[in-house]
Amino acid sequence: MSADKVLILNATGKVGRNVCRALVEAGFEVSGTTRSANNRLAGQGVQPVVGNYTVRADLDRAFQETGAKKVFVITDYFRAAKSNAALEFRQGQNAIDAARAAGVDHLIFMSVADAECFDKQTNHMQAKVELERYLRQSGVPCSILRPCAFFENLDDAANWNPLKKGVVKFLSVQECKYCATYDIGRAAAVQFRDRAEWLGKSLDVIGWQGDLNQVAAALSKVSGIPVKAKLAMPIFLRRLFLNDLHHMFLYYEEQKGPRGTPAAFKKVVPDALSAEDWFRFHNRYADGSPIVG
Ligand SMILES: NC(=O)c1ccc[n+]([C@@H]2O[C@H](COP(=O)([O-])OP(=O)(O)OC[C@H]3O[C@@H](n4cnc5c(N)ncnc54)[C@H](OP(=O)(O)O)[C@@H]3O)[C@@H](O)[C@H]2O)c1
């Protein structure tokens, strides 16, 4: 058993792979779960644990195989939980229960900034609120990270928004608060390193704020070519087909949420990525060609 071993549940998604990267860079011995035997985790310096993080027996085996006493928990509302809040809650509850059984000494749960402030139609926030409550009552030593909108949404082919040269699209053109999933990992590294300081606390992960024209200006500066800002779909279609996300954006647009600020997050991660920084960090369009050079 090593104090520096960390197990990341759900290590291959938008969050998982960059949390892996940040924790490896911070010097932790990182293991990560994936259902796929044919995964790229080893190439990232991460020990793969092949299993399904939603299955309790696989979780118990993952803790046993790795001996990790630190765990980073990501639940996935849209895919693993099939957009079902009750199922996402049970999957997160499973992970918390398995961590307790394994004697974990620090669990970091990724929730969402201001999760409790969204209206009832924002279904994908519901389990996050319930899981925060369950975790705090579980007795498992924990911290909570609460990210805002990921920059990764700006290049998300799986959700019909691939990043193409000369244009950037999002579901809102108004001012939004963004973070890089890499900064979720860098914040986790700070919390795991300084356990005594962070136990029982939560932190909003907010790296930058700006409207879509400012995002486009950032990409233009980094790529050296003009970039147009466009709505990914008209607002009436957003309301019609993506009602859950539409209500999340209403909180951003009408109530200027979430309440946290980049300045507060930068007290913990001083070089949190801005939009320009993120385009340089990501450095590829959806077709694989580089943004810089
Ligand atoms: N997008 C945002 O701006 C934002 C902001 C804050 C919070 N969040 C939260 O972030 C979470 C999503 O994380 P993500 O973006 O990292 O997800 P993601 O990129 O969609 O990755 C999900 C991972 O889940 C695994 N998976 C998929 N289907 C599964 C299934 N049926 N059973 C078990 N595992 C399955 C896959 O791993 P393997 O195939 O390797 O097993 C996949 O790599 C959501 O809960 C969302 O609420 C998102």
Side-chain angles (χ1 to χ4, degrees), residues 10 12-16 33-36 51-54 74-80 82 88 110-112 124 128 147-150 153:
N10 205 358
T12 60
K14 290 187 287 294
V15 180
T33 67
T34 169
R35 292 166 304 163
S36 167
N52 187 330
Y53 83 99
T54 68
I74 305 158
T75 53
D76 175 16
Y77 172 80
F78 292 99
R79 292 203 164 75
K82 303 173 178 63
E88 185 188 10
M110 189 193 76
S111 179
V112 172
H124 72 286
K128 304 289 195 290
C148 56
F150 301 160
N153 298 319

Side-chain angles (χ1 to χ4, degrees), residues 245-258:
L245 291 172
H246 174 68
H247 280 263
M248 179 186 80
F249 279 106
L250 291 184
Y251 177 64
Y252 293 166
E253 292 166 348
E254 293 175 358
Q255 298 186 52
K256 306 299 169 207

Side-chain angles (χ1 to χ4, degrees), residues 153-228:
N153 298 319
L154 302 171
D155 181 21
D156 192 357
N159 289 309
W160 304 283
N161 194 23
L163 184 63
K164 295 182 181 166
K165 260 180 206 154
V167 57
V168 68
K169 295 184 182 176
F170 198 39
L171 287 168
S172 173
V173 291
Q174 295 189 36
E175 182 156 285
C176 267
K177 290 176 178 166
Y178 292 90
C179 70
T181 56
Y182 178 60
D183 283 338
I184 301 173
R186 292 204 291 171
V190 170
Q191 295 191 329
F192 280 137
R193 277 270 170 265
D194 199 353
R195 175 179 180 275
E197 168 64 24
W198 285 99
L199 281 189
K201 294 189 183 157
S202 67
L203 173 69
D204 288 342
V205 182
I206 298 174
W208 184 82
Q209 71 187 85
D211 63 29
L212 201 59
N213 282 320
Q214 290 170 294
V215 173
L219 178 56
S220 181
K221 190 165 172 196
V222 172
S223 64
I225 58 172
V227 177
K228 282 194 177 138

